Amino acid sequence: MSGPAHTSVATYLNNLALVLREQGDLAGAKTLFERAVAIDEAAYGPNHPEVAIDINNLGGVLQSQGDLAGAKALYERALTIDEAALGPNHPSVAIRLNNLGGVLESQGNLAGAKALYERALEISEAALGPNHPSVAIRLNNLGFVLESQGDLAGAKALYQRSLRIFRESLGDDHPSTRNVQDNLRLLEENLKNAE
């Protein structure tokens, strides 16, 4: 089967939507992600991991547009699908937890975000090993929550570990490495100012 409702079209739509999102065309990306969701739901049913990918991506656009409630609902749906289809300890589940944690963090629910980031970190470490870049992402996000909660020493330790992983796996010039360097630098400045 081919044509505009084929699942390969949904893949192309997803890929194009990711490019549009990177270019700042959130409305265009949203439209394409919505089309991909519709195609994959029709082809696979509403509870398939391909649908979870689509709605996770759509949730990212809603989050970027400031629709935190909409993003949260989509991330929760993607998490439910992946936990049921792939199991509670699959790396895709860690991605969904991480994204949902980001929404909770943006909503000011630091305790909820922390719990999700901790679970995502645990899954990523077990599935991918302790030195994988995905682990570094989880460490950085958890560090940011700890910093926001006032646990500066805990945040510093997580940022340092994240930075080491990123440097070893991606190099000093990668944007992720630089991001964690900035987080650590600002934290250390805050620690000095607090003395």
Side-chain angles (χ1 to χ4, degrees):
M1 179 178 141
S2 63
H6 192 272
T7 55
S8 64
V9 173
T11 301
Y12 298 137
L13 290 169
N14 248 309
N15 292 341
L16 180 56
L18 290 169
V19 171
L20 292 180
R21 185 174 73 184
E22 285 299 310
Q23 293 177 334
D25 182 359
L26 298 178
K30 181 181 179 203
T31 298
L32 296 182
F33 283 137
E34 288 171 340
R35 282 182 59 200
V37 169
I39 291 169
D40 281 343
E41 280 184 330
Y44 299 117
N47 297 314
H48 192 276
E50 286 298 321
V51 174
I53 292 169
D54 297 340
I55 60 176
N56 177 76
N57 290 341
L58 180 57
V61 170
L62 294 185
Q63 186 174 3
S64 295
Q65 291 178 322
D67 181 0
L68 297 180
K72 181 176 183 269
L74 291 175
Y75 289 150
E76 287 172 338
R77 182 175 168 211
L79 176 61
T80 299
I81 292 168
D82 279 347
E83 283 181 320
L86 305 173
N89 298 313
H90 192 276
S92 291
V93 170
I95 293 169
R96 309 301 174 238
L97 290 165
N98 185 74
N99 292 345
L100 183 55
V103 168
L104 294 184
E105 183 179 340
S106 295
Q107 292 177 324
N109 182 354
L110 297 179
K114 180 177 182 255
L116 294 178
Y117 287 153
E118 287 172 338
R119 184 169 166 222
L121 175 61
E122 183 180 315
I123 292 168
S124 294
E125 284 179 318
L128 305 171
N131 297 311
H132 192 277
S134 292
V135 170
I137 291 169
R138 315 288 178 251
L139 290 165
N140 181 62
N141 292 344
L142 183 55
F144 197 80
V145 168
L146 292 184
E147 183 177 359
S148 297
Q149 291 179 319
D151 181 0
L152 302 185
K156 182 177 179 180
L158 294 179
Y159 287 152
Q160 287 173 329
R161 183 172 165 217
S162 177
L163 181 59
R164 180 189 55 76
I165 294 168
F166 276 138
R167 279 186 170 150
E168 290 174 3
S169 59
L170 303 176
D172 285 333
D173 294 328
H174 193 276
S176 295
T177 307
R178 290 182 186 167
N179 180 52
V180 177
Q181 283 175 321
D182 289 343
N183 289 345
L184 185 57
R185 180 182 48 78
L186 291 171
L187 174 67
E188 289 173 340
E189 287 175 10
N190 289 337
L191 285 169
K192 285 180 186 175
N193 293 335
E195 291 176 352

